Amino acid sequence: MKHILKISLLTFTVLLGACTDLEEQPFSEIFADEFYKTEAEFEAAQATVYSTMSILSDWRLEGLDMESDAIAIPQRGNAWGYDGFKQFERHRILSTEQRMMGSFWAGLYKGIMTANATLETFSLAEQSDLNALYSAETRLLRALFYMYLIDMWGDVPLVTASRVETTNLAGRESRSVVFDFIESELLEVAQVIPSRGESDALPFPRVTKETAHALLATLYLNAEIWKGQAMLDECVEQCDKILKNGNYGLVDNYFDLFKVKNEDASREILLYLDIEAGITNGNLPTVNRSLTDTYIKDLYPSFPSKGQNGMCVQPYFYNMMDDDDIRKSEGLLAGLVIGKNGEPLKESGQEINHKVEFDYWDAGLFDGVRITKWEVDMGAIGIFNSHGVPLIRLADIMLQKAEALIRKSGPNAVSDDLINQVRARVFDPALHSEKLRSGYTLEAVYWERGFELLSEGHRRRDMVRFGTFTEASKDLKGDGSPWYEAHSADYILWPIPQGDMDANPNLKQNEGY
């Protein structure tokens, strides 16, 4: 699977090099006329668009789950005192120069501009079914990037050309206009890209028709926030188009989804981020930024990166989880950490004890439950992993449909069945009679999504949709006050990075900044 991307990127480099000495014609015309003849050549060009998705690996966790009630990097003495982390965890980005936020904006627009350039080049080649397929796939990825932009920034520049004149820089289009663009693009490409199971289906990890339906379902579920009108029926319709395809299904073992080599779990995965260390250089912070170095070296002595002892689960969130839930008992690391020799592990002269409760502003050295659901990649290159990351999977879609139906008409049997299917695999079957129930409410869906999708980059968006993002933290400081106070809805949207504001006079800053 991952060799496809590697070969394609190398091929694209060779193709670029082959054209450098031809000056008589515009580069794009030569490229299209000479090279877009075979599927391998289309794949080579499109691989550059897929490679820009690596911005989502680090950021889905650091930005989108840290700015929620799920994950935090508390200050531990003099360590982890970076104010950028604190801004996320207070749910208030106060600086327009916050570098992590700025890198996400830049990375998303890099993906968009790369997609635009690729589409323009495809348009110059012979128009064929193959061209139409690769163009549709590229448009889907561009729509994905725009979805993240309207989620985080609201009104954003809508650019579909690969070159923008400095005298005519794009201003911000309304969130609703960009929403409509994303919707129209996804509806159109869904008519072109084959379904999984069809004879001409694209090989995993490339996208399918159901990927477009999954993005549309997400778009519609959040339409009341993003467009100003509820589109719950449309969300259910898109979910049903996925659920009726028997080539998708929940995998039996929850943790198979988070292995380094997780191709065997592909039947549950609708959108996949294929990271290759040394090629796309993605990163999963749950491994190197969360775990202690002593723990990693004890269990994985040849792991090439140092554990940084930072990221952990917020106490209230952890305590809301059922003790019998394997997502808690096996996917999180709490309490005294025991080494391979059966003795407690020590670091800096202290036993490693991941206490559940901690003060975000003054945490003990090892306080905080750690996330271990992601397998450690022994082939990592420094901090860069080769994980495959599920960006959207079937459990998410099942919970989306359940939520939409409950929002429409309250607790119902269809939603109960969907939620129980997700829960059934994370509890011992002997406990099903008490753990699988009926009458699930919106609050139950809210927490089930949090537990099922922890560290996968969904929690912030869910909190905004459920109206909890602006509430005060339920976790408390040592003096009994909340980690952060309730705050203005202005801070739901991030500020436009100051460098872009300075470079483009047509941009207007979000309210509150």
Side-chain angles (χ1 to χ4, degrees):
M1 174 188 62
K2 300 189 178 186
H3 297 297
I4 294 174
L5 177 59
K6 184 186 296 185
I7 292 170
S8 297
L9 287 171
L10 293 174
T11 304
F12 191 62
T13 303
V14 171
L15 294 178
L16 288 174
C19 295
T20 54
D21 60 345
L22 302 179
E23 302 289 346
E24 292 81 3
Q25 294 174 259
F27 169 78
S28 59
E29 292 181 14
I30 297 171
F31 192 92
D33 292 345
E34 295 296 326
F35 293 105
Y36 290 132
K37 306 292 185 183
T38 68
E39 185 162 8
E41 290 164 353
F42 277 102
E43 186 180 271
Q46 192 187 65
T48 61
V49 185
Y50 271 105
S51 71
T52 63
M53 290 175 65
S54 62
I55 188 69
L56 302 177
S57 62
D58 206 345
W59 255 95
R60 282 180 67 81
L61 180 58
E62 279 201 336
L64 307 186
D65 269 5
M66 273 172 44
E67 197 178 31
S68 77
D69 64 349
I71 291 174
I73 301 183
Q75 185 159 349
R76 306 179 190 280
N78 294 324
W80 297 109
Y82 171 51
D83 188 58
F85 290 137
K86 293 184 175 66
Q87 290 182 39
F88 281 113
E89 287 150 0
R90 286 193 301 257
H91 299 189
R92 287 180 291 174
I93 295 181
L94 301 177
S95 171
T96 60
E97 297 180 346
Q98 213 277 2
R99 61 179 176 82
M100 296 166 63
M101 174 270 300
S103 70
F104 197 27
W105 167 279
L108 291 170
Y109 271 109
K110 177 182 178 182
I112 288 167
M113 299 306 285
T114 303
N116 290 346
T118 302
L119 288 168
E120 287 180 6
T121 309
F122 286 172
S123 72
L124 297 171
E126 178 184 353
Q127 298 306 295
S128 62
D129 290 345
L130 189 63
N131 193 329
L133 174 60
Y134 275 85
S135 295
E137 194 174 357
T138 304
R139 290 166 66 191
L140 182 150
L141 297 177
R142 181 176 64 181
L144 170 69
F145 297 137
Y146 272 118
M147 189 179 294
Y148 278 107
L149 283 166
I150 65 169
D151 186 10
M152 312 313 301
W153 284 277
D155 303 345
V156 296
L158 178 58
V159 183
T160 57
S162 63
R163 298 180 183 179
V164 180
E165 297 295 332
T166 56
T167 56
N168 188 31
L169 296 174
R172 298 172 70 185
E173 289 286 357
S174 73
R175 199 184 217 177
S176 179
V177 167
V178 184
F179 180 104
D180 291 344
F181 171 78
I182 296 168
E183 180 188 25
S184 65
E185 289 286 282
L186 292 173
L187 288 171
E188 288 183 19
V189 303
Q191 303 305 311
V192 179
I193 302 173
S195 289
R196 180 173 292 182
E198 293 182 353
S199 59
D200 57 348
L202 299 175
F204 184 81
R206 290 169 62 190
V207 301
T208 65
K209 183 188 297 290
E210 289 74 26
T211 310
H213 293 317
L215 290 173
L216 282 164
T218 303
L219 191 73
Y220 293 143
L221 186 63
N222 292 280
E224 192 163 2
I225 302 294
W226 295 349
K227 187 175 171 64
Q229 68 181 72
M231 301 183 75
L232 298 176
D233 288 331
E234 291 85 347
C235 174
V236 171
E237 179 185 11
Q238 295 300 320
C239 292
D240 283 340
K241 289 180 178 181
I242 299 164
L243 294 171
K244 73 178 183 181
N245 187 332
N247 293 286
Y248 287 96
L250 298 178
V251 298
D252 294 334
N253 186 334
Y254 176 77
F255 297 106
D256 285 350
L257 290 157
F258 312 106
K259 291 180 177 178
V260 176
K261 304 295 183 184
N262 55 0
E263 295 93 329
D264 290 342
S266 63
R267 66 190 302 265
E268 185 170 336
I269 300 172
L270 289 146
L271 180 60
Y272 188 79
L273 175 57
D274 191 6
I275 306 172
E276 181 77 5
I279 303 295
T280 52
N281 286 343
N283 178 28
L284 275 177
T286 44
V287 177
N288 64 295
R289 290 186 188 158
S290 178
L291 303 176
T292 63
D293 196 50
T294 299
Y295 172 81
I296 289 178
K297 293 298 187 290
D298 181 70
L299 269 68
Y300 312 100
S302 60
F303 184 69
S305 183
K306 181 178 176 64
Q308 298 175 20
N309 187 35
M311 190 173 291
C312 56
V313 179
Q314 296 185 30
Y316 188 86
F317 185 97
Y318 177 82
N319 288 328
M320 285 294 294
M321 299 184 76
D322 191 313
D323 290 342
D324 293 320
D325 187 337
I326 65 169
R327 296 171 301 195
K328 180 179 186 178
S329 61
E330 299 179 27
L332 300 174
L333 182 64
L336 197 63
V337 179
I338 306 301
K340 288 189 297 185
N341 65 358
E343 298 295 324
L345 292 179
K346 294 183 178 181
E347 188 171 308
S348 302
Q350 298 183 40
E351 288 185 342
I352 300 175
N353 187 356
H354 296 316
K355 298 177 182 178
V356 174
E357 303 292 338
F358 61 90
D359 183 340
Y360 172 75
W361 302 97
D362 186 24
L365 184 60
F366 303 119
D367 287 353
V369 174
R370 308 309 163 95
I371 302 167
T372 54
K373 80 181 208 180
W374 299 91
E375 184 181 32
V376 172
D377 177 19
M378 299 308 298
I381 301 176
I383 65 170
F384 298 119
N385 320 121
S386 292
H387 272 88
V389 180
L391 298 182
I392 305 178
R393 51 190 179 86
L394 194 66
D396 174 19
I397 296 302
M398 295 168 74
L399 294 172
Q400 285 197 37
K401 180 180 176 180
E403 178 186 334
L405 290 174
I406 295 173
R407 286 185 183 277
K408 284 183 60 182
S409 55
N412 61 87
V414 175
S415 293
D416 289 344
D417 178 62
L418 290 165
I419 296 168
N420 281 333
Q421 287 184 58
V422 172
R423 288 175 63 82
R425 68 172 169 187
V426 298
F427 290 100
D428 186 319
L431 300 174
H432 282 181
S433 61
E434 61 180 281
K435 303 300 182 182
L436 310 185
R437 53 187 178 83
S438 61
Y440 290 107
T441 63
L442 266 183
E443 183 179 12
V445 177
Y446 173 71
W447 285 108
E448 191 61 36
R449 285 186 59 82
F451 305 151
E452 174 69 18
L453 303 170
L454 175 63
S455 79
E456 296 178 53
H458 298 268
R459 190 60 174 174
R460 181 193 190 277
R461 183 183 295 164
D462 286 355
M463 292 187 74
V464 172
R465 190 172 65 254
F466 279 84
T468 59
F469 183 79
T470 58
E471 295 178 356
S473 171
K474 292 181 171 60
D475 288 304
L476 305 178
K477 302 176 186 177
D479 62 6
S481 63
W483 282 7
Y484 52 83
E485 302 289 345
H487 58 83
S488 166
D490 286 345
Y491 294 109
I492 291 175
L493 294 178
W494 290 354
I496 304 295
Q498 191 60 48
D500 292 83
M501 294 289 298
D502 294 341
N504 183 356
N506 296 325
L507 292 179
K508 181 181 177 182
Q509 188 57 272
N510 275 326
E511 293 294 329
Y513 297 101

